[in-house]
Amino acid sequence: MTSPPAADTPKPSNFLRQIIERDLDQGTYAQRRFAGTPGDAAHHAAAPLDAARIRTRFPPEPNGYLHIGHAKSITLNFGLAAEYGGICHLRFDDTNPEKEEQEYVDSIVDAVKWLGFDWKVGGVDHLYYASNYFDFMYRAAEALIEAGLAYVDEQTPEQMRANRGDFNTPGTDSPFRGRSPAENLARFREMRDGKHADGAMVLRAKIDMASPNINLRDPAIYRIKHAEHHNTGDRWCIYPMYTYAHPIEDALEQITHSICTLEFEDQRPFYDWLLDTLCRLGLLAPPRPHQYEFARLNVTYVITSKRKLKALVDEKIVDGWDDPRMPTIVGLRRRGYTPEAIRLMCERAGTSKAGGWTDYASLDLALRDDLEGKAPRAMAVLEPLRLKLTNWAEVFGGAASEPCHAPAHPQRPELGERRFALGPELWIDREDFAETPPKGFFRLFPGNKVRLKYALVVECTGCEKNAAGEVTAVLASIVPDTRSGTPGADRVKVKGTITWVGAADAVPAELRLYDRLFTEEQPDAGGKDFKASLNPNSKRVVRGFVEPSLAALAPDSRVQFERHGYFVTDRLDHGAAAPVFNRIATLKDSWGK
Ligand code: ATP
Ligand code: MG
């Protein structure tokens, strides 16, 4: 109910949809209440039944820019909520005081909105900060201590690691494990009151040091960190561990289905233990959330590690976080990918427990599927070469030019027509001429006829060269009575049609031709040096010409240049006086299998 439908329906089922449908059938969450804001059992107790049939959340840590992998998680969580009459929360998982910044909070808000999702439902803004739950988390920790289910451990980190055991060996109890609740409470309050140094002690859940799941061997749940927090300032010097904080965040927000990636599977038993315990102690209201894991999205020719992306920016291998070659949402946006294409690609990638790789080509395919019916067409010349029509005066007399027109979109007459002029001198693409044609070349070479698209047929008669022997202009003569759209125009058969722009009305433009950043499918697989497979041709900037109608385009407008691909006017650099186009994708996948 909060997001636009994806471009293709119906959607294939997957294990998450099956789980949600089962829960809806069985009424697992039918008695769940929601007080309008997050809170504990008492807060929700007197509230009405939750009108949202399910609640999901997207919980980024505000410590970097979102990337294409996050788009998968966003699409999934907001998409499922929308599909099943639910609500998806945007929650900043900001429990770690040191790494988080407002700049990232803002960029994440922008990115999720831009992808087409909204967390405001019926006037209620479901944007939350985990750091607002610190009071409850602290209270819950004291409750665990009082119930004999948590203790302060003063072993050194090394001792703790050694005593944890491993896959084959059970752990060993800490000498501090037997402390009384009263002693633990006093110690924990000292931790809170700043009486101890970072790392001096931690609060651990008291579960089972012999558990086959190492995550249940008394995991640490609170640590000392004398650090300023962007939201709570210096109010706290102890902070909850992620594994403790996350289930509580879900429960306070009355999340039903907590969806995460597979690396959290081992944490699920603790997630369950903690929430069951806090429900039993009366702090949280059942029915509680459940965690489900899916395989993360991996895209070929892309890296998504924040650290490695940062290296690309810091070492100036790319031009910033929003470089159009970056897999960040800001990068994809600047490149010209549409939110629809990104959502479509994520939907098509599917959701399962089995990991795998999604071909980067599927993003370009989704873009073409989205833009094919939408983007207006135009002609552009990327690497200009002059074409002189030597018999212009004989054919057209004193006229300086001949008006031409073409539909803005071949299947959508309602989009109208574009107008441009044919004159005695034109710009064509350098690659459309060959002095000595290779086999199968049907475009301009001496003696060959081609159609200038939307205009007429010309016959190539030769070329001009400079002192260095480089071709500076192509010469051709107009074949009479071949004007496009006139009776008998196709009397002269040609094998090639080329695009062009009139020299008199062409608009000069900067064209940024982007391609994949890496030449290898898995640039950082197995610890490989990803900088060894950088594609030297990932960015090429050329000065070309575009049709006159395009000078007036607003920034961030998409167009299909016939034969060349989909382009967008750069969001930041494009202007009428200096047009700048980014190539989003070519018309066909040129990366052979
Ligand atoms: P880090 O690598 O720093 O831990 P992260 O990628 O896990 O970062 P978070 O901000 O914690 O970043 O991620 C928010 C959500 O996005 C999490 O639920 C995470 O599981 C999900 N997510 C991150 N990467 C992917 C991916 N490649 N595919 C699907 N979901 C992802
Ligand atoms: Mg993470």
Side-chain angles (χ1 to χ4, degrees):
M1 78 210 209
T2 56
S3 66
D8 64 347
T9 43
K11 294 177 178 163
S13 190
N14 62 45
F15 77 102
L16 291 173
R17 290 193 173 111
Q18 286 164 13
I19 287 167
I20 292 171
E21 284 163 20
R22 179 206 63 196
D23 283 337
L24 289 174
D25 278 354
Q26 299 178 351
T28 312
Y29 291 100
Q31 297 308 309
R32 199 172 42 92
R33 297 174 183 277
F34 188 71
T37 50
D40 63 4
H43 179 73
H44 293 297
L49 292 179
D50 193 354
R53 296 173 77 214
I54 62 169
R55 283 184 190 265
T56 56
R57 84 284 173 269
F58 174 63
E61 208 180 321
N63 65 353
Y65 287 90
L66 298 185
H67 54 64
I68 187 144
H70 295 115
K72 171 72 202 177
S73 178
I74 294 168
T75 306
L76 186 61
N77 280 295
F78 280 92
L80 288 171
E83 237 175 279
Y84 291 103
I87 293 177
C88 181
H89 299 183
L90 175 60
R91 177 204 307 148
F92 287 104
D93 209 330
D94 59 350
T95 53
N96 187 349
E98 280 163 340
K99 299 187 299 184
E100 293 143 7
E101 286 175 34
Q102 189 60 36
E103 175 195 352
Y104 298 128
V105 169
D106 296 341
S107 83
I108 291 170
V109 163
D110 277 356
V112 181
K113 273 192 198 157
W114 178 74
L115 280 170
F117 299 105
D118 194 1
W119 47 88
K120 280 200 193 75
V121 183
V124 183
D125 190 348
H126 296 285
L127 182 142
Y128 301 113
Y129 291 86
S131 57
N132 286 337
Y133 310 144
F134 282 163
D135 284 327
F136 178 86
M137 290 173 189
Y138 179 83
R139 189 152 58 86
E142 286 207 348
L144 290 176
I145 293 172
E146 283 166 353
L149 294 171
Y151 63 100
V152 173
D153 193 351
E154 295 178 43
Q155 294 183 100
T156 63
E158 295 71 39
Q159 288 168 327
M160 253 182 267
R161 206 169 306 125
N163 288 338
R164 193 175 296 133
D166 57 30
F167 188 70
N168 301 305
T169 331
T172 312
D173 284 4
S174 161
F176 300 95
R177 199 175 196 261
R179 275 177 162 167
S180 71
E183 253 178 297
N184 282 315
L185 201 54
R187 268 286 192 256
F188 186 50
R189 289 179 177 170
E190 285 173 21
M191 283 171 63
R192 177 198 63 189
D193 295 339
K195 303 253 162 63
H196 300 284
D198 289 7
M201 53 192 71
V202 295
L203 183 69
R204 298 176 74 173
K206 191 169 176 179
I207 309 177
D208 179 6
M209 286 305 291
S211 171
N213 182 334
I214 294 182
N215 295 289
L216 290 181
R217 293 183 189 171
D218 294 5
I221 61 179
Y222 257 99
R223 65 192 155 149
I224 304 173
K225 210 162 209 184
H226 292 267
E228 181 111 355
H229 187 279
H230 79 112
N231 181 22
T232 57
D234 58 5
R235 168 131 197 266
W236 297 95
C237 63
I238 55 171
Y239 290 94
M241 304 297 286
Y242 176 86
T243 43
Y244 174 75
H246 201 89
I248 291 180
E249 295 159 23
D250 285 344
L252 294 175
E253 291 178 21
Q254 296 289 70
I255 298 301
T256 55
H257 300 83
S258 176
I259 299 165
C260 62
T261 40
L262 276 175
E263 66 271 22
F264 295 102
E265 195 168 17
D266 289 348
Q267 310 273 11
R268 184 167 12 105
F270 180 68
Y271 186 104
D272 293 342
W273 179 90
L274 180 65
L275 294 188
D276 285 338
T277 303
L278 295 177
C279 285
R280 204 174 65 238
L281 296 176
L283 273 78
L284 293 174
R288 66 164 175 90
H290 282 264
Q291 173 182 306
Y292 303 97
E293 311 87 16
F294 71 101
R296 57 199 298 125
L297 177 73
N298 294 309
V299 181
T300 58
Y301 300 101
V302 154
I303 56 174
T304 51
S305 147
K306 278 176 199 157
R307 183 177 54 81
K308 293 172 190 168
L309 292 174
K310 188 167 184 309
L312 294 175
V313 174
D314 290 346
E315 294 171 34
K316 302 209 177 344
I317 293 168
V318 296
D319 308 324
W321 287 99
D322 67 347
D323 184 297
R325 293 164 293 177
M326 289 283 271
T328 50
I329 305 295
V330 283
L332 295 167
R333 178 179 183 184
R334 182 134 186 224
R335 171 77 164 262
Y337 287 106
T338 57
E340 291 83 357
I342 295 172
R343 296 201 306 260
L344 187 55
M345 180 265 200
C346 288
E347 185 65 42
R348 286 175 178 171
T351 304
S352 76
K353 286 243 172 215
W357 286 79
T358 296
D359 194 334
Y360 189 88
S362 68
L363 180 58
D364 286 344
L365 190 63
L367 181 91
R368 293 183 201 113
D369 288 347
D370 181 34
L371 290 188
E372 162 61 25
K374 287 186 199 163
R377 308 312 202 237
M379 292 194 288
V381 169
L382 307 190
E383 282 174 271
L385 178 60
R386 204 176 277 276
L387 173 67
K388 297 181 176 174
L389 303 180
T390 50
N391 60 343
W392 177 271
E394 287 158 44
V395 181
F396 292 112
S401 67
E402 261 288 293
C404 297
H405 60 87
H409 190 287
Q411 280 88 44
R412 298 183 56 190
E414 77 278 13
L415 295 183
E417 289 204 325
R418 31 196 251 257
R419 297 183 175 277
F420 42 90
L422 180 77
E425 294 208 355
L426 314 169
W427 295 111
I428 60 166
D429 272 290
R430 190 163 281 274
E431 63 175 25
D432 286 339
F433 172 74
E435 206 176 359
T436 327
K439 203 163 176 287
F441 186 87
F442 299 119
R443 290 165 282 164
L444 287 167
F445 58 87
N448 194 41
K449 295 190 185 75
V450 302
R451 175 165 291 280
L452 297 177
K453 198 158 187 197
Y454 309 118
L456 38 67
V457 175
V458 299
E459 177 170 353
C460 182
T461 55
C463 63
E464 293 172 356
K465 292 182 184 176
N466 62 14
E470 294 157 351
V471 177
T472 53
V474 178
L475 306 175
S477 61
I478 296 164
V479 179
D481 305 323
T482 55
R483 207 56 181 89
S484 300
T486 61
D490 54 1
R491 168 185 66 86
V492 179
K493 299 288 174 218
V494 294
K495 284 192 175 163
T497 297
I498 66 171
T499 44
W500 55 277
V501 191
D505 64 358
V507 172
E510 177 176 322
L511 299 139
R512 299 174 181 169
L513 308 179
Y514 292 109
D515 203 343
R516 293 171 193 186
L517 195 49
F518 297 98
T519 54
E520 284 197 27
E521 281 197 15
Q522 300 179 15
D524 58 351
K528 230 174 357 191
D529 175 14
F530 59 98
K531 284 179 240 164
S533 61
L534 284 166
N535 175 5
N537 301 316
S538 62
K539 177 184 181 183
R540 210 152 58 82
V541 179
V542 298
R543 299 220 47 101
F545 293 102
V546 302
E547 270 181 37
S549 62
L550 301 186
L553 280 184
D556 216 15
S557 306
R558 291 169 186 82
V559 57
Q560 186 202 97
F561 287 144
E562 300 189 39
R563 300 168 66 215
H564 290 304
Y566 290 101
F567 285 68
V568 67
T569 47
D570 191 79
R571 296 179 61 210
L572 304 179
D573 298 341
H574 172 82
V580 178
F581 290 83
N582 299 332
R583 182 169 68 199
I584 319 169
T586 52
L587 294 179
K588 277 200 268 234
D589 183 17
S590 56
W591 284 66
K593 295 284 113 61

